[in-house]
Amino acid sequence: MSATTKNRYDVAIIGAGPAGMAAAVEVTKAGLSAIVLDEQPAPGGQIYRGIETSDEKRTKILGPDYAAGRDIARAFRDSRAEYLPGATVWNIDSALGIDVSLGQGSKHIQAGAIVVATGAIERPTPMPGWTLPGVTTAGALQILLKANGVVSDDVVFVGSGPLLSLIAAQMLKAGVKPRAIVETVPQSRYVAALKHLPAALGAASYLLKGMAMMLSLRRAGVPIYRDATGIRIEGNGKAEAVTFTSGGKSHRLETTSVALHQGIVPNQQVTRLLRCEHEWNKSQHCFVPKVDEYFETTMADVYVAGDGAGIGGAVAARLRGRLAGLRIAEKAGRGNAQERRSVTDALMREAKIRPLLETLYAPSPEILAPADETLVCRCEEVTAGDIRKAVDLGAPGPNQVKSFLRSGMGPCQGRMCGLAVSEIIASRRGEPISEIGYYRIRPPLKPLLLSELAALESEEAVPVDLADESAALH
Amino acid sequence: MFKRAEETGAPALSFTFEGKPLKARSGDTIAAALLAADERIFRTTPVTETPRGPFCLMGVCFDCLVEIDGVPNRQACMVQVEEGMQVRRQSGSAEVIS
Ligand code: FES
């Protein structure tokens, strides 16, 4: 690997998680030039965050699935791909020119093909009190553990999904017992999920791991509340307690740390910016970019590998990255059809567990239909009621709601509210969410510092869209 | 309460938060170092001036915005601590292009 000296590459890869790293290895193996643009300071993505610096003890706590990232990162470091850490992509034009912010400066890169490997984000979980300090996503606590070895000793986990119990079990191994797990999975889901069990047995190792985690939590005496509803986080300026109903009783658990999780969804910012077509995935309950069997989007030479193409997990992410890489090589006349087929077969095996997980851990009805007074847009402090009112006043979709209310116009640019806003509009209008669509995403993908903008202006003209929506980030 | 699960040999760095001296480990983001010191409130919102703290720790939510060495709107979860950094809570609005 060498330092960045040039700005034209056969392939630019955005993100250095399992998909991005695998794609980089494949295309460089085929002799193509590649650069990997990563927001983080080191390879791994969120799933293998801190993989190069995690010591034996911490790696043991995080388990073998995490440790598997070591070899992947090593293979990537050994490849001929250039790696640019601390690089935030903030614009991509239709000719595949990429603008990257490097903290103090900006860089322009011209790519022949792009692999978007920006992975997933946690599904927005609007509920009363979710903006209080002390409330985080469950993934945030896992990042703290992976990258920093920082833990909280009185966490109440709230929500559903395999990640929730995984993170709770990891905290337990790290020596801090979670205060409780408050699960939002309705009883009826277990029955509905049953029909997917036979297929899931094809991926029995996942089922066994899940059961082992729950067992370890129960053995340690972590209280698990099931089918919880009416969840609220209370506190004056900080999280102080979680209240909910479970088993016909109301409960109040005091805590300073609440971790929310309702599954993960594709991070759509880059594919939306590029105007790739997206579709509603009913089973995963989120928008996914339309891709062909090689993960190429509706825009030629733009691929989306990893969870960004629909949630498939870390193993699938790596396989998808390889497949996209092999396809790019093939298009450049350096194909390996046999290897491509074996990757496709492995991907099919990996997919077996998904229908069961998706049915059992579909998002809880409460976060899909938050109460009127619940904040949905955290940045601009817009409530579900405000959005419903805007719809009643005639706003037909997310972009009109955005101009009425400024929701999605704050610094997070809709990442934290987009899905919830589309959902609320769809149900208020009684239309399918596939028709309602999603925010239009414009550059810059992340707010730029004035210094970066100044550096840019002196170099070249400010992109049109930037001038056009130059709303100040307050 | 947040705390360090383990002692590693990572060298310590000094920085300040609201003028208060704090320690970080090399490689820590500002958000991680502040949370390890059990600091939860990073900013107040521009609209209603309500306190907020980091939510996602992966650069998505922007609830961790702080002022670093006089520059506002920095994501505490994306910036690594450097020796002598002066970090302040961001209160309300600060001008920047979004
Ligand atoms: S905590 Fe979400 S952006 Fe920093």
Side-chain angles (χ1 to χ4, degrees):
Chain A
M1 289 216 303
S2 51
T4 318
T5 45
K6 54 178 195 169
N7 54 16
R8 295 189 78 87
Y9 295 86
D10 295 326
V11 190
I13 296 159
I14 310 173
M21 291 191 286
V25 169
E26 289 302 339
V27 296
T28 50
K29 236 199 278 175
L32 302 178
S33 64
I35 185 164
V36 177
L37 307 167
D38 187 14
E39 258 195 327
Q40 296 298 328
Q46 300 305 333
I47 188 88
Y48 303 129
R49 181 105 176 225
I51 192 72
E52 293 181 326
T53 44
S54 174
D55 61 10
E56 279 313 312
K57 192 173 158 224
R58 197 185 292 167
T59 306
K60 213 165 162 208
I61 289 169
L62 292 163
D65 289 343
Y66 175 74
R70 273 187 183 167
D71 287 345
I72 302 174
R74 202 168 298 136
F76 168 60
R77 289 282 194 188
D78 289 343
S79 79
R80 280 199 304 276
E82 279 183 34
Y83 178 56
L84 197 57
T88 303
V89 170
W90 62 267
N91 194 21
I92 305 176
D93 60 43
S94 52
L96 308 192
I98 307 172
D99 287 303
V100 187
S101 144
L102 297 166
Q104 285 314 312
S106 218
K107 188 178 167 69
H108 186 84
I109 284 164
Q110 185 57 51
I114 293 180
V115 179
V116 182
T118 50
I121 59 174
E122 274 171 277
R123 180 188 295 281
T125 51
M127 62 167 75
W130 75 307
T131 52
L132 286 167
V135 182
T136 61
T137 64
L141 294 189
Q142 198 192 31
I143 289 169
L144 274 182
L145 177 58
K146 285 177 184 169
N148 311 95
V150 171
V151 289
S152 173
D153 58 9
D154 67 341
V155 184
V156 175
F157 286 92
V158 177
S160 79
L163 255 181
L164 197 73
S165 34
L166 169 67
I167 300 169
Q170 288 171 334
M171 306 231 15
L172 189 62
K173 272 211 251 168
V176 286
K177 192 169 131 186
R179 174 92 171 71
I181 296 177
V182 179
E183 239 195 18
T184 56
V185 183
Q187 282 304 331
S188 58
R189 292 262 183 83
Y190 288 93
V191 183
L194 218 54
K195 68 168 187 285
H196 299 296
L197 191 58
L201 290 175
S205 66
Y206 284 107
L207 293 177
L208 292 173
K209 269 184 232 164
M211 277 153 61
M213 283 183 307
M214 286 315 272
L215 201 65
S216 75
L217 290 162
R218 222 174 278 136
R219 281 220 184 104
V222 178
I224 300 172
Y225 299 88
R226 301 218 181 258
D227 200 355
T229 54
I231 301 163
R232 310 181 65 86
I233 302 153
E234 297 174 351
N236 191 3
K238 278 184 195 183
E240 287 162 9
V242 183
T243 62
F244 57 93
T245 306
S246 165
K249 278 194 227 128
S250 29
H251 301 266
R252 183 171 196 278
L253 305 176
E254 278 181 25
T255 176
T256 60
S257 178
V258 183
L260 306 178
H261 186 73
Q262 290 284 342
I264 57 176
V265 295
N267 179 357
Q268 312 173 64
Q269 300 301 113
V270 173
T271 48
R272 290 271 178 195
L273 173 77
L274 282 167
R275 309 273 178 266
C276 299
E277 278 177 48
H278 290 68
E279 60 194 355
W280 181 252
N281 181 321
K282 226 170 152 189
S283 175
Q284 297 196 348
H285 215 92
C286 58
F287 288 103
V288 295
K290 275 194 196 170
V291 290
D292 69 7
E293 64 214 286
Y294 309 114
F295 295 91
E296 187 169 3
T297 65
T298 51
M299 191 169 162
D301 301 318
V302 175
Y303 296 75
V304 50
D307 276 345
I311 306 308
V315 175
R318 185 173 170 219
L319 292 167
R320 290 172 180 182
R322 287 191 62 197
L323 196 56
L326 286 164
R327 177 63 170 172
I328 293 169
E330 192 172 338
K331 276 202 188 175
R334 302 173 190 190
N336 184 340
Q338 201 185 335
E339 203 172 337
R340 181 159 59 62
R341 273 193 297 276
S342 85
V343 174
T344 308
D345 290 348
L347 259 179
M348 281 182 26
R349 286 194 296 278
E350 253 330 280
K352 288 192 169 134
I353 189 77
R354 304 316 302 184
L356 177 85
L357 294 180
E358 287 164 13
T359 307
L360 192 55
Y361 297 127
S364 102
E366 275 181 27
I367 64 145
L368 296 181
D372 275 347
E373 56 290 354
T374 301
L375 274 190
V376 173
C377 166
R378 299 170 63 100
C379 297
E380 297 291 330
E381 299 177 76
V382 177
T383 65
D386 295 335
I387 296 164
R388 292 185 182 116
K389 226 176 284 159
V391 171
D392 294 346
L393 287 172
N399 295 303
Q400 294 80 8
V401 165
K402 179 175 175 177
S403 44
F404 267 42
L405 300 171
R406 295 191 53 83
S407 56
M409 257 194 219
C412 97
Q413 292 165 322
R415 289 168 175 86
M416 296 307 303
C417 69
L419 274 182
V421 167
S422 295
E423 197 89 49
I424 292 168
I425 299 172
S427 76
R428 191 66 164 191
R429 291 180 62 90
E431 287 170 23
I433 192 164
S434 52
E435 297 299 311
I436 296 298
Y438 193 81
Y439 289 136
R440 197 178 160 88
I441 302 300
R442 294 165 183 275
L445 282 177
K446 286 221 166 166
L448 295 171
L449 295 175
L450 288 173
S451 56
E452 289 173 302
L453 202 68
L456 189 80
E457 268 178 284
S458 57
E459 264 172 45
E460 50 187 306
V462 180
V464 196
D465 266 345
L466 211 117
D468 145 41
E469 210 171 292
S470 63
L473 178 162
H474 343 251
Chain B
M1 208 183 100
F2 281 100
K3 59 182 187 192
R4 303 270 178 187
E6 57 196 54
E7 275 317 314
T8 67
L13 298 169
S14 309
F15 72 110
T16 65
F17 182 57
E18 294 289 306
K20 184 168 111 191
L22 290 175
K23 288 267 179 248
R25 283 189 196 158
S26 122
D28 275 354
T29 58
I30 291 172
L34 288 179
L35 286 172
D38 217 37
E39 289 287 351
R40 312 246 166 160
I41 299 170
F42 283 39
R43 68 165 182 135
T44 55
T45 60
V47 185
T48 60
E49 305 201 334
T50 316
R52 289 280 173 86
F55 183 68
C56 73
L57 287 179
M58 55 181 275
V60 175
C61 74
F62 289 76
D63 262 325
C64 62
L65 295 180
V66 291
E67 191 186 296
I68 303 172
D69 293 334
V71 181
N73 287 309
R74 308 296 316 272
Q75 285 175 285
C77 72
M78 300 295 287
V79 180
Q80 290 183 307
V81 177
E82 285 168 27
E83 180 65 32
M85 262 182 176
Q86 298 185 1
V87 183
R88 297 206 155 268
R89 287 200 177 99
Q90 176 155 322
S91 50
S93 51
E95 281 289 299
V96 128
I97 305 293
S98 102

Short mmCIF file of all heavy atoms in Angstrom, two decimals, chain B residues 53-64 75-78, ligand 1:
data_model
loop_
_atom_site.label_atom_id
_atom_site.label_comp_id
_atom_site.label_asym_id
_atom_site.label_seq_id
_atom_site.Cartn_x
_atom_site.Cartn_y
_atom_site.Cartn_z
N GLY B 53 -26.45 14.64 23.99
CA GLY B 53 -25.16 13.96 24.06
C GLY B 53 -25.06 13.00 22.90
O GLY B 53 -26.02 12.84 22.15
N PRO B 54 -23.91 12.34 22.73
CA PRO B 54 -23.73 11.46 21.59
C PRO B 54 -24.77 10.35 21.57
O PRO B 54 -25.11 9.79 22.61
CB PRO B 54 -22.33 10.88 21.78
CG PRO B 54 -21.95 11.18 23.17
CD PRO B 54 -22.74 12.37 23.61
N PHE B 55 -25.24 10.02 20.39
CA PHE B 55 -26.28 9.01 20.24
C PHE B 55 -25.77 7.80 19.46
O PHE B 55 -25.95 6.68 19.87
CB PHE B 55 -27.49 9.64 19.53
CG PHE B 55 -28.67 8.72 19.37
CD1 PHE B 55 -29.40 8.30 20.47
CD2 PHE B 55 -29.07 8.29 18.11
CE1 PHE B 55 -30.49 7.45 20.33
CE2 PHE B 55 -30.16 7.44 17.96
CZ PHE B 55 -30.88 7.02 19.07
N CYS B 56 -25.08 8.06 18.33
CA CYS B 56 -24.71 6.94 17.44
C CYS B 56 -23.23 6.57 17.52
O CYS B 56 -22.86 5.44 17.23
CB CYS B 56 -25.06 7.29 16.00
SG CYS B 56 -23.96 8.51 15.25
N LEU B 57 -22.39 7.51 17.86
CA LEU B 57 -20.93 7.34 17.91
C LEU B 57 -20.32 6.87 16.59
O LEU B 57 -19.21 6.36 16.56
CB LEU B 57 -20.51 6.39 19.05
CG LEU B 57 -20.63 7.00 20.44
CD1 LEU B 57 -20.23 5.99 21.49
CD2 LEU B 57 -19.76 8.24 20.59
N MET B 58 -21.05 7.03 15.50
CA MET B 58 -20.46 6.65 14.22
C MET B 58 -20.66 7.72 13.15
O MET B 58 -20.67 7.42 11.95
CB MET B 58 -20.97 5.29 13.76
CG MET B 58 -22.47 5.16 13.68
SD MET B 58 -22.98 3.49 13.16
CE MET B 58 -22.88 3.67 11.38
N GLY B 59 -20.82 8.96 13.60
CA GLY B 59 -20.83 10.05 12.62
C GLY B 59 -22.15 10.32 11.94
O GLY B 59 -22.21 11.10 11.00
N VAL B 60 -23.22 9.70 12.40
CA VAL B 60 -24.49 9.80 11.70
C VAL B 60 -25.43 10.88 12.28
O VAL B 60 -26.07 11.61 11.54
CB VAL B 60 -25.22 8.43 11.71
CG1 VAL B 60 -26.59 8.52 11.09
CG2 VAL B 60 -24.38 7.39 10.96
N CYS B 61 -25.50 10.98 13.61
CA CYS B 61 -26.58 11.76 14.24
C CYS B 61 -26.26 13.23 14.48
O CYS B 61 -27.15 14.04 14.62
CB CYS B 61 -27.00 11.11 15.54
SG CYS B 61 -25.81 11.35 16.89
N PHE B 62 -25.01 13.57 14.58
CA PHE B 62 -24.57 14.96 14.83
C PHE B 62 -25.02 15.50 16.19
O PHE B 62 -25.06 16.70 16.40
CB PHE B 62 -25.00 15.90 13.70
CG PHE B 62 -24.23 15.67 12.43
CD1 PHE B 62 -24.50 14.58 11.62
CD2 PHE B 62 -23.21 16.54 12.06
CE1 PHE B 62 -23.77 14.35 10.46
CE2 PHE B 62 -22.48 16.31 10.89
CZ PHE B 62 -22.77 15.22 10.10
N ASP B 63 -25.38 14.63 17.10
CA ASP B 63 -25.75 15.11 18.43
C ASP B 63 -24.53 15.30 19.32
O ASP B 63 -24.64 15.74 20.45
CB ASP B 63 -26.74 14.13 19.08
CG ASP B 63 -28.17 14.64 18.91
OD1 ASP B 63 -28.36 15.87 18.94
OD2 ASP B 63 -29.08 13.82 18.74
N CYS B 64 -23.35 14.98 18.79
CA CYS B 64 -22.15 15.09 19.60
C CYS B 64 -21.36 16.36 19.27
O CYS B 64 -20.20 16.46 19.63
CB CYS B 64 -21.26 13.88 19.36
SG CYS B 64 -20.71 13.76 17.65
N GLN B 75 -17.68 17.02 15.04
CA GLN B 75 -18.29 15.81 15.57
C GLN B 75 -17.32 15.15 16.57
O GLN B 75 -16.29 14.62 16.16
CB GLN B 75 -18.60 14.83 14.43
CG GLN B 75 -19.80 15.23 13.60
CD GLN B 75 -19.97 14.30 12.43
OE1 GLN B 75 -19.23 14.39 11.46
NE2 GLN B 75 -20.94 13.41 12.48
N ALA B 76 -17.69 15.17 17.83
CA ALA B 76 -16.79 14.63 18.85
C ALA B 76 -16.52 13.14 18.65
O ALA B 76 -15.46 12.65 19.05
CB ALA B 76 -17.40 14.85 20.23
N CYS B 77 -17.43 12.44 17.98
CA CYS B 77 -17.22 11.00 17.79
C CYS B 77 -16.33 10.69 16.60
O CYS B 77 -15.98 9.54 16.37
CB CYS B 77 -18.55 10.26 17.64
SG CYS B 77 -19.39 10.55 16.07
N MET B 78 -15.97 11.72 15.83
CA MET B 78 -15.15 11.49 14.64
C MET B 78 -13.76 12.10 14.76
O MET B 78 -12.91 11.88 13.90
CB MET B 78 -15.83 12.10 13.40
CG MET B 78 -17.21 11.54 13.08
SD MET B 78 -17.20 9.80 12.63
CE MET B 78 -16.50 9.89 10.99
S1 FES C 1 -22.55 10.67 18.17
FE1 FES C 1 -23.68 10.61 16.35
S2 FES C 1 -22.50 11.86 15.08
FE2 FES C 1 -21.30 11.74 16.81
#
